[in-house]
Amino acid sequence: NGAGKSTLMKVLAGNYPRYSGEIFFDGQAESVDSIIKAQKHGVRMIHQESQLINEFNVEQNIFSGNEICYPGLPFINKKLQKQKAREILDFLQADIEIHAPVEELNIAQKKMVEIARSLVYSVKVLILDEVTASFTSYDREILFEIIHKLKAQGISVVFISHKIDEVLTIAERLVIMRDGKTVETKTIENNSV
């Protein structure tokens, strides 16, 4: 606790615009001074606390701020948006009704909706900040399958966890931080360090 993991990721995600050091995207040093700028580089962060709008349903949360409209018109193409929401949830193996109010979902389902929302954008780096804290073992297994799918599509996943067994199950590289500094970096082969 307090090592600087979440803070570092919030810098990368544009939550903290003032920082020292450099951030590189595709080999180019870039200034990331806002969440919007980070998102333009394909960075999306899913926090431990839910960032969803409880009064919206699943579909509305997935496309909030990125609604699918008819070409040249300010009207939402509800049929296409519903279809796309279902496709994304199917890809995530999330058995969630798109019309369900978010406030009625459990914690794992809410995290799946947040991951679905990140996939609407051209995500290149997905940061998962201690999202499994309240997951059942079944929910964890589903999430790990999704992470493997995302990695297979070329999406980098930064997985922050205090649970070393989770890290060893899915990670390719392990970074240990203490007091805001990296103290160890190791490659993981066959789930062993």
Side-chain angles (χ1 to χ4, degrees), residues 11-171:
V11 168
L12 179 61
N15 294 82
Y16 297 153
R18 293 195 183 104
Y19 56 87
S20 60
E22 292 180 297
I23 298 174
F24 288 83
F25 291 104
D26 297 323
Q28 299 260 4
E30 298 282 351
S31 168
V32 181
D33 53 11
S34 71
I35 294 170
I36 292 170
K37 202 160 190 184
Q39 289 176 351
K40 284 182 181 175
H41 288 291
V43 178
R44 303 288 296 185
M45 183 168 181
I46 298 176
H47 302 268
Q48 189 173 2
E49 310 82 30
S50 176
Q51 304 289 307
L52 300 175
I53 302 168
N54 278 329
E55 293 75 22
F56 283 10
N57 67 29
V58 169
E59 174 202 337
Q60 291 167 325
N61 267 284
I62 290 173
F63 290 99
S64 178
N66 199 29
E67 290 80 4
I68 299 175
C69 294
Y70 290 99
L73 296 172
F75 303 109
I76 297 172
N77 184 336
K78 291 186 179 185
K79 183 177 178 182
L80 182 58
Q81 191 164 284
K82 284 178 183 146
Q83 177 189 328
K84 292 289 185 188
R86 189 70 263 151
E87 286 172 10
I88 294 169
L89 290 171
D90 287 346
F91 169 78
L92 295 175
Q93 301 171 341
D95 186 22
I96 304 171
E97 173 54 50
I98 62 172
H99 300 295
V102 162
E103 63 191 356
E104 294 177 6
L105 303 180
N106 65 37
I107 292 168
Q109 289 172 320
K110 287 180 180 181
K111 290 301 165 205
M112 290 303 172
V113 173
E114 289 190 80
I115 293 170
R117 183 169 63 186
S118 72
L119 297 181
V120 169
Y121 297 84
S122 298
V123 65
K124 294 179 183 175
V125 179
L126 180 62
I127 303 164
L128 302 175
D129 189 6
E130 298 190 49
V131 297
T132 60
S134 301
F135 276 29
T136 65
S137 57
Y138 174 77
D139 294 331
R140 270 189 217 100
E141 285 178 31
I142 296 294
L143 178 65
F144 294 165
E145 285 179 32
I146 290 164
I147 289 171
H148 286 298
K149 277 184 168 183
L150 297 174
K151 286 173 20 180
Q153 290 193 345
I155 297 170
S156 297
V157 178
V158 178
F159 182 77
I160 299 172
S161 177
H162 288 281
K163 300 173 183 173
I164 195 70
D165 60 317
E166 291 183 352
V167 173
L168 295 176
T169 299
I170 60 164

